[in-house]
Amino acid sequence: MTVERIAAFSDAGKGGNPAGIAIADQFPPEAEMRRIAAEVGYSETAFAVPDGAADHWRVRYFSPESEVAFCGHATIALGAALARHSGDGRYHLKLNTAEITVEALAAGSGYSAALQSPPTSSKPARPGLLDETLALFGYQVDQLDPKLPPAEIHGGADHLVITLKHRADLASMNYDLDAGRALMRKYALVTIMLVWVRNDTEFDVRNAFASGGVLEDPATGAAAAAFAGYLRDLGWPHGNHIHIVQGEDMGEKSVIDAQLSDQPGSSIRISGATRMIDAAPAVDR
C-alpha cells in the first residue's frame, strides 16, 4: 500500500501538520492499519476506500496508538490527495460515526481544501477534569482567562479547551506524556486545547494529543471546529469567521480558518492550504 505524506494547514508552503494518506480498493485488516499508522509516525494516517459512487469514500483514521473517530487535518490532506488523483471537486466521506464532505482544488504548487465538520456541541468542564488538567500542565486557576471558561467541546471528536490570560503561559506549555495519556483516556478526550485570545476573531493555540501518543499537534482541524462551535454557544462576537494559528511554538506554524453560521450545533467549515511532503505519482485526468 502506498502512503502519501501531505501537510495540512500549511503557511506559505511551510509548516502545517503532516498526515499519512492511504487510498486503496479495500481496507487492510485493522491490525495492519494500526501498524502502518505507527510506522508512518504522524499524529494521524487516514485510510480511504471507494464507497459506491465515484465521489463517495469510506474513511478511517488511526494515530500511532489508537483509532480516532474524526481528524480534521488528515481530512484536509485527504481532500488534496483525492483532488490530485481524481480532480478538483467535493467528496463525500463516510466516517465511523458521521458523514461529512471535503472539497479541494489546485492552488499554486499545492492544493487548498475545506471540510464541513460533524455537528458541534459544548458543555462546562467537569470540576475533576479541570483540576487534573491544571495539575498536569502546572497551571493555576488565576492564569485562566475568564472570558472563555473551561469547556468540553465536540465537533466530531471530544476535546477540553482552557484559555490562558497571557501568551507566555501558552508558550511554556509542558506536561508528562504518560500522565497526559492517562488523563485523556480516563475522560475520553482526544486532545486538550490551550488557547490565547489575540482578539475576537484571532486565536493562538496549542493542542496536546497524548491520547494518540503524540505530545503536541501542529494543527488540529477537529478541535478548531469544536472550538468555533463553542464560541457560538457562548454568544462570542465571532463575526461568522475565526482565524487560528497553531504549531508556532513548536516551529511548525499552521493556519486554520473556520467559518460558522449562527445556527446552534451546525457544521463548521474548516479550511486551509496543503503541502506535499511525499506524494504518489498523480493519475492523468
Side-chain angles (χ1 to χ4, degrees):
M1 174 174 287
T2 299
V3 179
E4 301 182 59
R5 291 163 170 79
I6 301 173
F9 304 117
S10 57
D11 177 45
K14 300 179 180 178
N17 193 0
I21 302 297
I23 300 173
D25 292 332
Q26 59 184 14
F27 288 129
E30 182 170 317
E32 179 68 2
M33 288 190 282
R34 291 178 180 274
R35 185 196 66 78
I36 291 170
E39 185 176 291
V40 171
Y42 293 154
S43 54
E44 272 99 3
T45 294
F47 295 84
V49 300
D51 188 35
D55 59 352
H56 286 61
W57 295 83
R58 176 71 172 93
V59 182
R60 296 175 70 177
Y61 308 93
F62 286 85
S63 78
E65 294 190 3
S66 60
E67 184 168 11
V68 179
F70 170 57
C71 173
H73 86 273
T75 301
I76 293 293
L78 174 61
L82 292 173
R84 186 167 182 269
H85 290 286
S86 301
D88 296 356
R90 176 178 295 180
Y91 295 90
H92 299 263
L93 310 180
K94 183 178 181 180
L95 315 184
N96 285 356
T97 59
E99 294 187 16
I100 64 172
T101 62
V102 64
E103 55 189 277
L105 69 159
S109 60
Y111 289 82
S112 62
L115 65 85
Q116 288 294 149
S117 78
T120 67
S121 62
S122 65
K123 61 183 180 181
R126 286 165 281 181
L129 169 58
L130 178 58
D131 291 345
E132 291 180 49
T133 299
L134 293 177
L136 175 69
F137 291 101
Y139 293 133
Q140 303 298 318
V141 172
D142 62 5
Q143 291 175 274
L144 303 183
D145 188 338
K147 295 192 300 292
L148 286 175
E152 296 175 52
I153 59 177
H154 179 87
D158 293 313
H159 313 266
L160 172 70
V161 59
I162 62 174
T163 308
L164 298 163
K165 289 180 183 177
H166 303 295
R167 183 63 177 81
D169 291 335
L170 183 69
S172 67
M173 183 196 88
N174 188 38
Y175 72 100
D176 178 79
L177 181 64
D178 290 337
R181 180 190 292 109
L183 186 151
M184 292 183 204
R185 292 184 177 178
K186 175 181 177 180
Y187 289 98
L189 299 172
V190 175
T191 75
I192 295 176
M193 185 181 196
L194 308 180
V195 177
W196 177 71
V197 179
R198 292 192 188 189
N199 55 51
D200 287 346
T201 60
E202 296 182 313
F203 305 87
D204 286 9
V205 167
R206 301 186 75 173
N207 239 295
F209 184 34
S211 68
V214 177
L215 190 70
E216 181 175 2
D217 230 0
T220 316
F227 179 66
Y230 169 55
L231 295 178
R232 177 172 57 198
D233 292 345
L234 283 181
W236 185 267
H238 50 71
N240 302 113
H241 177 265
I242 65 170
H243 182 80
I244 291 173
V245 173
Q246 187 177 333
E248 196 164 31
D249 296 275
M250 55 187 300
E252 296 291 345
K253 183 180 178 181
S254 304
V255 177
I256 305 172
D257 284 297
Q259 293 174 275
L260 59 155
S261 74
D262 294 324
Q263 179 65 36
S266 62
S267 173
I268 308 295
R269 180 180 173 88
I270 298 293
S271 61
T274 66
R275 174 176 61 86
M276 299 294 174
I277 301 170
D278 180 16
V283 175
D284 291 338
R285 62 179 191 269

